[in-house]
Amino acid sequence: MEHAAHVLLVEDDDGIARPLAAALGADGHQVTRVATGSEALRVARDVDAVVLDLGLPDLDGIEVCRRLRRDLGADLPILVLTARTSETDVVVGLDAGADDYVTKPFRLAELQARLRALLRRAAAGRPLPSEQLAARDVVLDPASRRAWRGDEELDLAPKEFDLLALLLRRAGTVVTREELAREVWDTRWLGGSKTIDVHVSSLRRKLGDDPSAPRYVTTVRGVGLRFEREDGGQR
Ligand code: CA
């Protein structure tokens, strides 16, 4: 199922909540249904998206929306259901952090489509396994800024991380010293480029490379560096 998610449905009207929960379930989503704002705030931490009615018996839905945004960050998709049709109410909802809204009465298919769009957008903002850089047993995740060799996580300084990312992205090809300076240090001039050498030796050490015969990051004399795709690639 495309972007199946755990959806929190916050709606006190059973006549709306029941068919809606069924429709979302039919889309492959796991649905948690609550009827009050305070329950919503209690369980929202575990869900991937929220469908939130603004007219709730305890708290104002706008206030619930604002707190969800404040407590759970910008990435949680929130789709608001509103019976209020005036433009001001919609604007208030969006200001409170809602991503989109549907006005009651709505067609189930429309709400399902809007939610799908929100989940797709949220998924696009998250690191996907395919966005990781990898060569041999070295894996780097740009989004979380973490890197591993085999099962062991590498403790890299920021510039070492950027350096490794660039080399992995271009694994098997030579990256010139000029490119390294420009991409990693954002400069064209590195005063004799000792800086690069220092970071390269440190990176090699962390990768477990022997500086006199590196197996991962090799020096292409007079040109630059290359992350070897295969062990023994330099010979
Ligand atoms: Ca309601």
Side-chain angles (χ1 to χ4, degrees), residues 11-13 53 55-56 104:
E11 168 64 87
D12 58 312
D13 185 338
D53 180 33
L56 295 170
K104 291 177 180 177

Side-chain angles (χ1 to χ4, degrees), residues 149 152-158 160-161 199-209 216:
R149 189 186 137 217
E152 189 195 344
E153 181 159 7
L154 301 171
D155 182 19
L156 301 175
E160 293 165 0
F161 184 92
H199 284 81
V200 169
S201 19
S202 171
L203 177 60
R204 279 184 179 139
R205 191 161 36 75
K206 292 177 180 179
L207 285 168
D209 251 351
Y216 288 100

Side-chain angles (χ1 to χ4, degrees), residues 22-213:
L24 295 177
D27 272 352
H29 301 307
Q30 180 195 340
V31 181
T32 296
R33 199 190 132 188
V34 299
T36 65
S38 41
E39 278 178 281
L41 293 171
R42 205 159 48 232
V43 299
R45 196 163 295 279
D46 300 321
V47 305
D48 303 311
V50 181
V51 176
L52 173 68
D53 180 33
L54 290 188
L56 295 170
D58 55 344
L59 298 164
D60 185 354
I62 295 286
E63 181 56 27
V64 175
C65 186
R66 196 172 285 129
R67 290 198 210 169
L68 288 174
R69 208 32 105 216
R70 185 198 61 199
D71 297 344
L72 301 176
D75 295 337
L76 178 72
I78 302 176
L79 176 66
V80 156
L81 306 179
T82 175
R84 319 171 190 177
T85 47
S86 92
E87 205 169 298
T88 339
D89 285 329
V90 169
V91 169
V92 168
L94 297 176
D95 276 351
D99 293 291
D100 200 359
Y101 67 95
V102 173
T103 309
K104 291 177 180 177
F106 53 86
R107 291 187 309 122
L108 285 176
E110 183 191 351
L111 185 142
Q112 287 168 288
R114 298 278 190 96
L115 182 62
R116 259 199 305 276
L118 290 183
L119 288 169
R120 210 177 300 129
R121 212 160 68 200
R126 258 181 240 144
L128 298 171
S130 60
E131 288 170 349
Q132 293 187 337
L133 303 169
R136 287 157 63 187
D137 61 346
V138 177
V139 176
L140 178 144
D141 182 29
S144 63
R145 288 192 71 87
R146 297 173 72 186
W148 299 263
R149 189 186 137 217
D151 293 334
E152 189 195 344
E153 181 159 7
L154 301 171
D155 182 19
L156 301 175
K159 291 299 179 196
E160 293 165 0
F161 184 92
D162 294 341
L163 179 61
L164 180 60
L166 178 58
L167 291 171
L168 278 176
R169 197 167 278 128
R170 303 262 302 273
T173 67
V174 180
V175 182
T176 67
R177 297 182 74 88
E178 289 73 22
E179 286 173 306
L180 291 169
R182 193 175 59 231
E183 305 278 329
V184 178
W185 281 272
D186 212 12
T187 176
R188 299 183 60 166
W189 185 245
L190 271 177
S193 53
K194 193 85 186 134
T195 311
I196 294 179
D197 298 321
V198 170
H199 284 81
V200 169
S201 19
S202 171
L203 177 60
R204 279 184 179 139
R205 191 161 36 75
K206 292 177 180 179
L207 285 168
D209 251 351
D210 173 357
S212 61

